[in-house]
Amino acid sequence: MPVSIESLHGKKIGLVMSSGFFGFYAHAGCLKALHTCGLKVQGFGGSSAGAIIAAFAASGMDPEAIERILYSIKKDDIWDPEPVHRTLFAALKFFKGWHGRLQGKKINHLLQNCLPIHDIEKFAYPCVISGTNITLRKREIFTRGSIADAVQASCTVPWLFRFKHMDESLYIDGGFVDKAPLTALADSMQPEVMIVHYLKSENLRSTGNGFIEKLFSPQKAWSLAMNIARHEHYLLQKRFLEERGIQVIELIPRVSRVDPRHLEQGRTAFEEAYAQVMRQFC
């Protein structure tokens, strides 16, 4: 349902952006739409793709600058695979001891070059970046150190990226345990309103047993169950915030899928998210 902009003016607003593979284009479109509507967001949070845009925004970057950066990114800017023979050798050992295909150095370098600040302690606004600490078996909210390292850790999709090593722990994608870190941002900034830009997992958009007809059906079922768990966790957080008297506004767009081979689709996803958020607030 459309939301009255007037009802939000003067209120303390937080923005949480969910994980969603290369969904950072859509999140940037949302951010620009909120800015166009004149909404002042005072705190940001995100996991994985959402962590990228949260970090940019909390660093004080305006939506237009973020948009320019995203449109300039090429696959070579993030693609640093290990030599093919190493991956093949790992396969012969059934990937025992293997960490992932991409080394992650390029994405870290890209973040370092794009961010106007480099330390979490220097964020211009409260910012929550969620990661999965697989060494200590817990969700972790990064509160100090390198922004680029924290965002990289939050974006470390297993198999695609090597595990991120920080402070004697290994990290993977924050979206696996906290798809949209609502409670962490609420605790950090005590908002009156929480806006959530939530990229719903594709296999949750319909019901039924169609996955049975697909290749690797057990894997499809496992993936579906994991996404159900993540979504249920999100719903629990949403309910908890509402019980605390925080207004939660959900923005759940349908946007074009973007992947490393088709980054040109990023512009389309950006524009789709922008248009959908604008409609929501009109």
Side-chain angles (χ1 to χ4, degrees):
M1 292 177 60
V3 178
S4 167
I5 290 293
E6 290 74 20
S7 69
L8 301 179
H9 283 160
K11 292 188 175 180
K12 192 173 185 180
I13 300 173
L15 172 63
V16 170
M17 292 163 280
S18 75
S19 62
F21 202 42
F22 277 65
F24 44 82
Y25 291 97
H27 290 319
C30 168
L31 185 67
K32 183 177 180 179
L34 296 178
H35 182 77
T36 301
C37 291
L39 287 179
K40 297 182 185 291
V41 178
Q42 291 113 316
F44 303 88
S47 293
S48 196
I52 295 174
I53 305 305
F56 283 162
S59 297
M61 296 175 65
D62 61 67
E64 288 74 20
I66 297 171
E67 182 180 4
R68 287 193 296 271
I69 288 171
L70 296 187
Y71 287 171
S72 70
I73 295 174
K74 304 293 187 294
K75 181 180 177 181
D76 284 347
D77 294 329
I78 59 174
W79 206 255
D80 55 355
E82 66 179 11
V84 174
H85 73 270
R86 290 188 182 176
T87 305
L88 293 175
F89 183 67
L92 291 174
K93 298 193 299 179
F94 297 97
F95 296 103
K96 180 180 179 180
W98 191 68
H99 283 219
R101 181 84 171 104
L102 302 183
Q103 299 174 71
K105 294 179 181 178
K106 281 193 172 183
I107 191 171
N108 192 285
H109 182 71
L110 178 67
L111 290 165
Q112 290 279 6
N113 285 343
C114 292
L115 286 161
I117 59 173
H118 298 105
D119 299 319
I120 290 173
E121 297 89 337
K122 294 182 180 179
F123 272 133
Y125 300 92
C127 185
V128 165
I129 297 171
S130 177
T132 301
N133 187 322
I134 54 176
T135 299
L136 300 180
R137 274 67 163 174
K138 66 174 187 174
R139 180 198 71 168
E140 188 161 322
I141 302 300
F142 299 103
T143 58
R144 61 181 176 81
S146 164
I147 299 172
D149 284 349
V151 172
Q152 182 192 349
S154 188
C155 294
T156 298
V157 180
W159 292 93
L160 180 61
F161 285 103
R162 292 179 63 85
F163 305 144
K164 177 64 176 176
H165 188 270
M166 295 168 56
D167 298 328
E168 300 184 4
S169 286
L170 295 177
Y171 292 85
I172 60 171
D173 195 299
F176 279 98
V177 295
D178 202 356
K179 185 174 174 71
L182 273 68
T183 55
L185 183 59
D187 291 342
S188 174
M189 63 170 291
Q190 305 298 320
E192 298 171 83
V193 179
M194 187 75 80
I195 298 174
V196 189
H197 197 239
Y198 190 85
L199 301 178
K200 199 168 187 178
S201 300
E202 193 63 34
N203 56 7
L204 296 184
R205 292 188 177 276
S206 61
T207 57
N209 298 324
F211 64 90
I212 292 292
E213 307 302 323
K214 297 180 180 179
L215 297 176
F216 302 105
S217 298
Q219 173 64 26
K220 293 292 190 296
W222 177 86
S223 175
L224 178 58
M226 185 182 71
N227 286 336
I228 291 170
R230 294 196 301 161
H231 186 62
E232 290 293 323
H233 179 236
Y234 159 72
L235 293 176
L236 285 173
Q237 291 190 67
K238 177 175 177 284
R239 185 185 311 161
F240 182 63
L241 262 61
E242 290 171 337
E243 290 174 352
R244 288 170 57 178
I246 300 171
Q247 180 185 1
V248 180
I249 299 173
E250 287 184 314
L251 306 173
I252 305 179
R254 292 193 70 108
V255 296
S256 299
R257 179 175 172 79
V258 185
D259 61 51
R261 297 170 299 171
H262 302 97
L263 291 180
E264 69 280 357
Q265 284 292 101
R267 185 181 294 271
T268 302
F270 180 102
E271 293 171 351
E272 290 169 342
Y274 176 85
Q276 291 174 48
V277 173
M278 291 294 291
R279 285 196 297 272
Q280 185 96 2
F281 283 96
C282 289

PDB file of all heavy atoms in Angstrom, residues 114-145:
ATOM      1  N   CYS A 114      36.490   3.039  -3.499  1.00  0.00           N
ATOM      2  CA  CYS A 114      35.221   3.759  -3.659  1.00  0.00           C
ATOM      3  C   CYS A 114      34.754   4.446  -2.388  1.00  0.00           C
ATOM      4  O   CYS A 114      34.087   5.482  -2.444  1.00  0.00           O
ATOM      5  CB  CYS A 114      34.138   2.790  -4.137  1.00  0.00           C
ATOM      6  SG  CYS A 114      34.376   2.163  -5.805  1.00  0.00           S
ATOM      7  N   LEU A 115      35.074   3.880  -1.232  1.00  0.00           N
ATOM      8  CA  LEU A 115      34.599   4.443   0.027  1.00  0.00           C
ATOM      9  C   LEU A 115      35.354   5.722   0.391  1.00  0.00           C
ATOM     10  O   LEU A 115      36.585   5.763   0.303  1.00  0.00           O
ATOM     11  CB  LEU A 115      34.772   3.418   1.155  1.00  0.00           C
ATOM     12  CG  LEU A 115      33.794   2.245   1.155  1.00  0.00           C
ATOM     13  CD1 LEU A 115      34.348   1.092   1.988  1.00  0.00           C
ATOM     14  CD2 LEU A 115      32.439   2.694   1.692  1.00  0.00           C
ATOM     15  N   PRO A 116      34.647   6.761   0.813  1.00  0.00           N
ATOM     16  CA  PRO A 116      35.326   8.004   1.211  1.00  0.00           C
ATOM     17  C   PRO A 116      36.014   7.904   2.560  1.00  0.00           C
ATOM     18  O   PRO A 116      36.876   8.727   2.889  1.00  0.00           O
ATOM     19  CB  PRO A 116      34.173   9.022   1.253  1.00  0.00           C
ATOM     20  CG  PRO A 116      32.959   8.206   1.549  1.00  0.00           C
ATOM     21  CD  PRO A 116      33.181   6.883   0.868  1.00  0.00           C
ATOM     22  N   ILE A 117      35.625   6.928   3.374  1.00  0.00           N
ATOM     23  CA  ILE A 117      36.285   6.653   4.656  1.00  0.00           C
ATOM     24  C   ILE A 117      36.586   5.161   4.700  1.00  0.00           C
ATOM     25  O   ILE A 117      36.045   4.393   3.898  1.00  0.00           O
ATOM     26  CB  ILE A 117      35.409   7.058   5.863  1.00  0.00           C
ATOM     27  CG1 ILE A 117      34.073   6.299   5.825  1.00  0.00           C
ATOM     28  CG2 ILE A 117      35.178   8.551   5.898  1.00  0.00           C
ATOM     29  CD1 ILE A 117      33.217   6.507   7.055  1.00  0.00           C
ATOM     30  N   HIS A 118      37.419   4.745   5.629  1.00  0.00           N
ATOM     31  CA  HIS A 118      37.843   3.348   5.623  1.00  0.00           C
ATOM     32  C   HIS A 118      37.637   2.614   6.946  1.00  0.00           C
ATOM     33  O   HIS A 118      37.768   1.394   6.992  1.00  0.00           O
ATOM     34  CB  HIS A 118      39.310   3.256   5.207  1.00  0.00           C
ATOM     35  CG  HIS A 118      39.556   3.759   3.821  1.00  0.00           C
ATOM     36  ND1 HIS A 118      40.146   4.975   3.568  1.00  0.00           N
ATOM     37  CD2 HIS A 118      39.244   3.230   2.614  1.00  0.00           C
ATOM     38  CE1 HIS A 118      40.215   5.168   2.259  1.00  0.00           C
ATOM     39  NE2 HIS A 118      39.668   4.134   1.659  1.00  0.00           N
ATOM     40  N   ASP A 119      37.305   3.335   8.011  1.00  0.00           N
ATOM     41  CA  ASP A 119      37.151   2.709   9.311  1.00  0.00           C
ATOM     42  C   ASP A 119      35.701   2.754   9.770  1.00  0.00           C
ATOM     43  O   ASP A 119      35.037   3.801   9.662  1.00  0.00           O
ATOM     44  CB  ASP A 119      38.023   3.407  10.363  1.00  0.00           C
ATOM     45  CG  ASP A 119      39.511   3.331  10.023  1.00  0.00           C
ATOM     46  OD1 ASP A 119      39.935   2.249   9.563  1.00  0.00           O
ATOM     47  OD2 ASP A 119      40.217   4.334  10.205  1.00  0.00           O
ATOM     48  N   ILE A 120      35.214   1.638  10.299  1.00  0.00           N
ATOM     49  CA  ILE A 120      33.841   1.547  10.779  1.00  0.00           C
ATOM     50  C   ILE A 120      33.562   2.623  11.827  1.00  0.00           C
ATOM     51  O   ILE A 120      32.469   3.212  11.862  1.00  0.00           O
ATOM     52  CB  ILE A 120      33.578   0.141  11.353  1.00  0.00           C
ATOM     53  CG1 ILE A 120      33.547  -0.886  10.211  1.00  0.00           C
ATOM     54  CG2 ILE A 120      32.288   0.094  12.167  1.00  0.00           C
ATOM     55  CD1 ILE A 120      33.464  -2.327  10.665  1.00  0.00           C
ATOM     56  N   GLU A 121      34.542   2.925  12.644  1.00  0.00           N
ATOM     57  CA  GLU A 121      34.355   3.920  13.710  1.00  0.00           C
ATOM     58  C   GLU A 121      34.100   5.316  13.163  1.00  0.00           C
ATOM     59  O   GLU A 121      33.633   6.198  13.903  1.00  0.00           O
ATOM     60  CB  GLU A 121      35.583   3.954  14.618  1.00  0.00           C
ATOM     61  CG  GLU A 121      35.842   2.648  15.370  1.00  0.00           C
ATOM     62  CD  GLU A 121      36.724   1.666  14.614  1.00  0.00           C
ATOM     63  OE1 GLU A 121      36.804   1.756  13.373  1.00  0.00           O
ATOM     64  OE2 GLU A 121      37.335   0.805  15.268  1.00  0.00           O
ATOM     65  N   LYS A 122      34.376   5.547  11.878  1.00  0.00           N
ATOM     66  CA  LYS A 122      34.216   6.886  11.287  1.00  0.00           C
ATOM     67  C   LYS A 122      32.948   7.040  10.452  1.00  0.00           C
ATOM     68  O   LYS A 122      32.779   8.040   9.765  1.00  0.00           O
ATOM     69  CB  LYS A 122      35.445   7.213  10.432  1.00  0.00           C
ATOM     70  CG  LYS A 122      36.727   7.342  11.247  1.00  0.00           C
ATOM     71  CD  LYS A 122      37.919   7.709  10.381  1.00  0.00           C
ATOM     72  CE  LYS A 122      39.182   7.838  11.225  1.00  0.00           C
ATOM     73  NZ  LYS A 122      40.378   8.169  10.395  1.00  0.00           N
ATOM     74  N   PHE A 123      32.053   6.051  10.498  1.00  0.00           N
ATOM     75  CA  PHE A 123      30.792   6.178   9.770  1.00  0.00           C
ATOM     76  C   PHE A 123      30.089   7.475  10.162  1.00  0.00           C
ATOM     77  O   PHE A 123      30.057   7.857  11.338  1.00  0.00           O
ATOM     78  CB  PHE A 123      29.865   5.006  10.082  1.00  0.00           C
ATOM     79  CG  PHE A 123      30.055   3.805   9.193  1.00  0.00           C
ATOM     80  CD1 PHE A 123      30.149   2.531   9.749  1.00  0.00           C
ATOM     81  CD2 PHE A 123      30.111   3.931   7.813  1.00  0.00           C
ATOM     82  CE1 PHE A 123      30.303   1.416   8.932  1.00  0.00           C
ATOM     83  CE2 PHE A 123      30.271   2.822   6.994  1.00  0.00           C
ATOM     84  CZ  PHE A 123      30.366   1.564   7.549  1.00  0.00           C
ATOM     85  N   ALA A 124      29.479   8.135   9.170  1.00  0.00           N
ATOM     86  CA  ALA A 124      28.739   9.366   9.424  1.00  0.00           C
ATOM     87  C   ALA A 124      27.391   9.091  10.086  1.00  0.00           C
ATOM     88  O   ALA A 124      26.823   9.980  10.737  1.00  0.00           O
ATOM     89  CB  ALA A 124      28.535  10.130   8.107  1.00  0.00           C
ATOM     90  N   TYR A 125      26.868   7.874   9.904  1.00  0.00           N
ATOM     91  CA  TYR A 125      25.572   7.480  10.467  1.00  0.00           C
ATOM     92  C   TYR A 125      25.732   6.098  11.112  1.00  0.00           C
ATOM     93  O   TYR A 125      26.631   5.345  10.746  1.00  0.00           O
ATOM     94  CB  TYR A 125      24.503   7.383   9.372  1.00  0.00           C
ATOM     95  CG  TYR A 125      24.250   8.653   8.620  1.00  0.00           C
ATOM     96  CD1 TYR A 125      24.950   8.935   7.435  1.00  0.00           C
ATOM     97  CD2 TYR A 125      23.306   9.575   9.057  1.00  0.00           C
ATOM     98  CE1 TYR A 125      24.713  10.100   6.738  1.00  0.00           C
ATOM     99  CE2 TYR A 125      23.059  10.734   8.355  1.00  0.00           C
ATOM    100  CZ  TYR A 125      23.770  10.999   7.191  1.00  0.00           C
ATOM    101  OH  TYR A 125      23.537  12.154   6.493  1.00  0.00           O
ATOM    102  N   PRO A 126      24.841   5.755  12.043  1.00  0.00           N
ATOM    103  CA  PRO A 126      24.859   4.379  12.556  1.00  0.00           C
ATOM    104  C   PRO A 126      24.743   3.389  11.406  1.00  0.00           C
ATOM    105  O   PRO A 126      23.947   3.593  10.490  1.00  0.00           O
ATOM    106  CB  PRO A 126      23.625   4.331  13.461  1.00  0.00           C
ATOM    107  CG  PRO A 126      23.391   5.745  13.866  1.00  0.00           C
ATOM    108  CD  PRO A 126      23.799   6.578  12.680  1.00  0.00           C
ATOM    109  N   CYS A 127      25.549   2.328  11.445  1.00  0.00           N
ATOM    110  CA  CYS A 127      25.549   1.360  10.348  1.00  0.00           C
ATOM    111  C   CYS A 127      25.783  -0.040  10.906  1.00  0.00           C
ATOM    112  O   CYS A 127      26.719  -0.263  11.680  1.00  0.00           O
ATOM    113  CB  CYS A 127      26.627   1.696   9.322  1.00  0.00           C
ATOM    114  SG  CYS A 127      26.605   0.620   7.870  1.00  0.00           S
ATOM    115  N   VAL A 128      24.927  -0.957  10.493  1.00  0.00           N
ATOM    116  CA  VAL A 128      25.012  -2.348  10.925  1.00  0.00           C
ATOM    117  C   VAL A 128      25.356  -3.215   9.721  1.00  0.00           C
ATOM    118  O   VAL A 128      24.628  -3.215   8.722  1.00  0.00           O
ATOM    119  CB  VAL A 128      23.675  -2.812  11.547  1.00  0.00           C
ATOM    120  CG1 VAL A 128      23.635  -4.313  11.665  1.00  0.00           C
ATOM    121  CG2 VAL A 128      23.480  -2.155  12.905  1.00  0.00           C
ATOM    122  N   ILE A 129      26.472  -3.922   9.789  1.00  0.00           N
ATOM    123  CA  ILE A 129      26.884  -4.867   8.750  1.00  0.00           C
ATOM    124  C   ILE A 129      26.957  -6.240   9.387  1.00  0.00           C
ATOM    125  O   ILE A 129      27.668  -6.445  10.373  1.00  0.00           O
ATOM    126  CB  ILE A 129      28.250  -4.477   8.153  1.00  0.00           C
ATOM    127  CG1 ILE A 129      28.167  -3.107   7.465  1.00  0.00           C
ATOM    128  CG2 ILE A 129      28.735  -5.541   7.173  1.00  0.00           C
ATOM    129  CD1 ILE A 129      29.504  -2.560   7.034  1.00  0.00           C
ATOM    130  N   SER A 130      26.203  -7.176   8.835  1.00  0.00           N
ATOM    131  CA  SER A 130      26.082  -8.496   9.432  1.00  0.00           C
ATOM    132  C   SER A 130      26.930  -9.525   8.689  1.00  0.00           C
ATOM    133  O   SER A 130      26.914  -9.585   7.459  1.00  0.00           O
ATOM    134  CB  SER A 130      24.610  -8.929   9.413  1.00  0.00           C
ATOM    135  OG  SER A 130      24.470 -10.232   9.926  1.00  0.00           O
ATOM    136  N   GLY A 131      27.662 -10.333   9.434  1.00  0.00           N
ATOM    137  CA  GLY A 131      28.441 -11.421   8.853  1.00  0.00           C
ATOM    138  C   GLY A 131      28.176 -12.717   9.591  1.00  0.00           C
ATOM    139  O   GLY A 131      27.616 -12.720  10.690  1.00  0.00           O
ATOM    140  N   THR A 132      28.579 -13.839   8.988  1.00  0.00           N
ATOM    141  CA  THR A 132      28.433 -15.148   9.620  1.00  0.00           C
ATOM    142  C   THR A 132      29.816 -15.658   9.999  1.00  0.00           C
ATOM    143  O   THR A 132      30.626 -15.988   9.129  1.00  0.00           O
ATOM    144  CB  THR A 132      27.750 -16.150   8.674  1.00  0.00           C
ATOM    145  OG1 THR A 132      26.455 -15.658   8.310  1.00  0.00           O
ATOM    146  CG2 THR A 132      27.603 -17.511   9.339  1.00  0.00           C
ATOM    147  N   ASN A 133      30.096 -15.693  11.290  1.00  0.00           N
ATOM    148  CA  ASN A 133      31.375 -16.183  11.795  1.00  0.00           C
ATOM    149  C   ASN A 133      31.275 -17.702  11.926  1.00  0.00           C
ATOM    150  O   ASN A 133      30.659 -18.211  12.863  1.00  0.00           O
ATOM    151  CB  ASN A 133      31.681 -15.540  13.158  1.00  0.00           C
ATOM    152  CG  ASN A 133      33.071 -15.860  13.668  1.00  0.00           C
ATOM    153  OD1 ASN A 133      33.559 -16.968  13.489  1.00  0.00           O
ATOM    154  ND2 ASN A 133      33.705 -14.904  14.318  1.00  0.00           N
ATOM    155  N   ILE A 134      31.851 -18.411  10.952  1.00  0.00           N
ATOM    156  CA  ILE A 134      31.724 -19.869  10.955  1.00  0.00           C
ATOM    157  C   ILE A 134      32.734 -20.535  11.888  1.00  0.00           C
ATOM    158  O   ILE A 134      32.603 -21.718  12.203  1.00  0.00           O
ATOM    159  CB  ILE A 134      31.833 -20.458   9.531  1.00  0.00           C
ATOM    160  CG1 ILE A 134      33.114 -20.003   8.834  1.00  0.00           C
ATOM    161  CG2 ILE A 134      30.611 -20.096   8.710  1.00  0.00           C
ATOM    162  CD1 ILE A 134      33.318 -20.631   7.463  1.00  0.00           C
ATOM    163  N   THR A 135      33.730 -19.790  12.345  1.00  0.00           N
ATOM    164  CA  THR A 135      34.664 -20.322  13.335  1.00  0.00           C
ATOM    165  C   THR A 135      34.005 -20.375  14.712  1.00  0.00           C
ATOM    166  O   THR A 135      34.074 -21.388  15.412  1.00  0.00           O
ATOM    167  CB  THR A 135      35.936 -19.454  13.399  1.00  0.00           C
ATOM    168  OG1 THR A 135      36.581 -19.477  12.119  1.00  0.00           O
ATOM    169  CG2 THR A 135      36.913 -19.986  14.450  1.00  0.00           C
ATOM    170  N   LEU A 136      33.352 -19.278  15.098  1.00  0.00           N
ATOM    171  CA  LEU A 136      32.698 -19.193  16.403  1.00  0.00           C
ATOM    172  C   LEU A 136      31.224 -19.563  16.353  1.00  0.00           C
ATOM    173  O   LEU A 136      30.532 -19.508  17.377  1.00  0.00           O
ATOM    174  CB  LEU A 136      32.860 -17.779  16.975  1.00  0.00           C
ATOM    175  CG  LEU A 136      34.304 -17.313  17.193  1.00  0.00           C
ATOM    176  CD1 LEU A 136      34.332 -15.911  17.767  1.00  0.00           C
ATOM    177  CD2 LEU A 136      35.050 -18.281  18.106  1.00  0.00           C
ATOM    178  N   ARG A 137      30.739 -19.936  15.138  1.00  0.00           N
ATOM    179  CA  ARG A 137      29.350 -20.407  14.980  1.00  0.00           C
ATOM    180  C   ARG A 137      28.337 -19.375  15.444  1.00  0.00           C
ATOM    181  O   ARG A 137      27.450 -19.638  16.262  1.00  0.00           O
ATOM    182  CB  ARG A 137      29.115 -21.697  15.772  1.00  0.00           C
ATOM    183  CG  ARG A 137      29.469 -22.980  15.070  1.00  0.00           C
ATOM    184  CD  ARG A 137      30.921 -23.149  14.831  1.00  0.00           C
ATOM    185  NE  ARG A 137      31.254 -24.561  14.510  1.00  0.00           N
ATOM    186  CZ  ARG A 137      32.452 -24.957  14.149  1.00  0.00           C
ATOM    187  NH1 ARG A 137      33.453 -24.081  14.069  1.00  0.00           N
ATOM    188  NH2 ARG A 137      32.677 -26.227  13.863  1.00  0.00           N
ATOM    189  N   LYS A 138      28.428 -18.146  14.903  1.00  0.00           N
ATOM    190  CA  LYS A 138      27.478 -17.126  15.325  1.00  0.00           C
ATOM    191  C   LYS A 138      27.381 -16.022  14.278  1.00  0.00           C
ATOM    192  O   LYS A 138      28.239 -15.869  13.413  1.00  0.00           O
ATOM    193  CB  LYS A 138      27.906 -16.508  16.654  1.00  0.00           C
ATOM    194  CG  LYS A 138      29.202 -15.704  16.572  1.00  0.00           C
ATOM    195  CD  LYS A 138      29.512 -14.990  17.887  1.00  0.00           C
ATOM    196  CE  LYS A 138      30.713 -14.048  17.750  1.00  0.00           C
ATOM    197  NZ  LYS A 138      30.919 -13.257  18.984  1.00  0.00           N
ATOM    198  N   ARG A 139      26.278 -15.280  14.365  1.00  0.00           N
ATOM    199  CA  ARG A 139      26.156 -14.037  13.609  1.00  0.00           C
ATOM    200  C   ARG A 139      27.062 -13.003  14.258  1.00  0.00           C
ATOM    201  O   ARG A 139      27.204 -12.982  15.482  1.00  0.00           O
ATOM    202  CB  ARG A 139      24.707 -13.522  13.656  1.00  0.00           C
ATOM    203  CG  ARG A 139      24.516 -12.220  12.871  1.00  0.00           C
ATOM    204  CD  ARG A 139      23.243 -11.496  13.265  1.00  0.00           C
ATOM    205  NE  ARG A 139      23.338 -10.906  14.607  1.00  0.00           N
ATOM    206  CZ  ARG A 139      22.451 -10.044  15.085  1.00  0.00           C
ATOM    207  NH1 ARG A 139      21.397  -9.701  14.376  1.00  0.00           N
ATOM    208  NH2 ARG A 139      22.593  -9.550  16.308  1.00  0.00           N
ATOM    209  N   GLU A 140      27.652 -12.150  13.440  1.00  0.00           N
ATOM    210  CA  GLU A 140      28.503 -11.111  14.001  1.00  0.00           C
ATOM    211  C   GLU A 140      28.167  -9.773  13.363  1.00  0.00           C
ATOM    212  O   GLU A 140      28.047  -9.662  12.142  1.00  0.00           O
ATOM    213  CB  GLU A 140      29.978 -11.438  13.788  1.00  0.00           C
ATOM    214  CG  GLU A 140      30.913 -10.497  14.508  1.00  0.00           C
ATOM    215  CD  GLU A 140      32.315 -11.079  14.677  1.00  0.00           C
ATOM    216  OE1 GLU A 140      32.428 -12.300  14.931  1.00  0.00           O
ATOM    217  OE2 GLU A 140      33.280 -10.319  14.564  1.00  0.00           O
ATOM    218  N   ILE A 141      28.003  -8.759  14.202  1.00  0.00           N
ATOM    219  CA  ILE A 141      27.822  -7.382  13.746  1.00  0.00           C
ATOM    220  C   ILE A 141      29.165  -6.680  13.901  1.00  0.00           C
ATOM    221  O   ILE A 141      29.716  -6.609  15.003  1.00  0.00           O
ATOM    222  CB  ILE A 141      26.741  -6.655  14.560  1.00  0.00           C
ATOM    223  CG1 ILE A 141      25.406  -7.394  14.478  1.00  0.00           C
ATOM    224  CG2 ILE A 141      26.596  -5.221  14.066  1.00  0.00           C
ATOM    225  CD1 ILE A 141      24.841  -7.530  13.080  1.00  0.00           C
ATOM    226  N   PHE A 142      29.690  -6.178  12.791  1.00  0.00           N
ATOM    227  CA  PHE A 142      31.019  -5.566  12.816  1.00  0.00           C
ATOM    228  C   PHE A 142      30.938  -4.155  13.402  1.00  0.00           C
ATOM    229  O   PHE A 142      30.173  -3.316  12.923  1.00  0.00           O
ATOM    230  CB  PHE A 142      31.601  -5.533  11.404  1.00  0.00           C
ATOM    231  CG  PHE A 142      31.770  -6.903  10.803  1.00  0.00           C
ATOM    232  CD1 PHE A 142      30.868  -7.379   9.862  1.00  0.00           C
ATOM    233  CD2 PHE A 142      32.805  -7.734  11.204  1.00  0.00           C
ATOM    234  CE1 PHE A 142      31.002  -8.643   9.317  1.00  0.00           C
ATOM    235  CE2 PHE A 142      32.942  -9.001  10.669  1.00  0.00           C
ATOM    236  CZ  PHE A 142      32.038  -9.460   9.726  1.00  0.00           C
ATOM    237  N   THR A 143      31.741  -3.901  14.423  1.00  0.00           N
ATOM    238  CA  THR A 143      31.690  -2.617  15.119  1.00  0.00           C
ATOM    239  C   THR A 143      33.009  -1.852  15.083  1.00  0.00           C
ATOM    240  O   THR A 143      33.090  -0.731  15.585  1.00  0.00           O
ATOM    241  CB  THR A 143      31.288  -2.833  16.592  1.00  0.00           C
ATOM    242  OG1 THR A 143      32.230  -3.725  17.218  1.00  0.00           O
ATOM    243  CG2 THR A 143      29.884  -3.439  16.684  1.00  0.00           C
ATOM    244  N   ARG A 144      34.030  -2.449  14.520  1.00  0.00           N
ATOM    245  CA  ARG A 144      35.333  -1.775  14.461  1.00  0.00           C
ATOM    246  C   ARG A 144      36.125  -2.312  13.275  1.00  0.00           C
ATOM    247  O   ARG A 144      35.788  -3.349  12.704  1.00  0.00           O
ATOM    248  CB  ARG A 144      36.122  -2.016  15.762  1.00  0.00           C
ATOM    249  CG  ARG A 144      36.406  -3.480  16.026  1.00  0.00           C
ATOM    250  CD  ARG A 144      37.154  -3.705  17.333  1.00  0.00           C
ATOM    251  NE  ARG A 144      37.344  -5.130  17.618  1.00  0.00           N
ATOM    252  CZ  ARG A 144      38.306  -5.880  17.088  1.00  0.00           C
ATOM    253  NH1 ARG A 144      39.178  -5.331  16.245  1.00  0.00           N
ATOM    254  NH2 ARG A 144      38.406  -7.158  17.396  1.00  0.00           N
ATOM    255  N   GLY A 145      37.181  -1.577  12.918  1.00  0.00           N
ATOM    256  CA  GLY A 145      38.079  -2.046  11.867  1.00  0.00           C
ATOM    257  C   GLY A 145      37.703  -1.573  10.482  1.00  0.00           C
ATOM    258  O   GLY A 145      36.996  -0.575  10.295  1.00  0.00           O
TER     259      GLY A 145
END
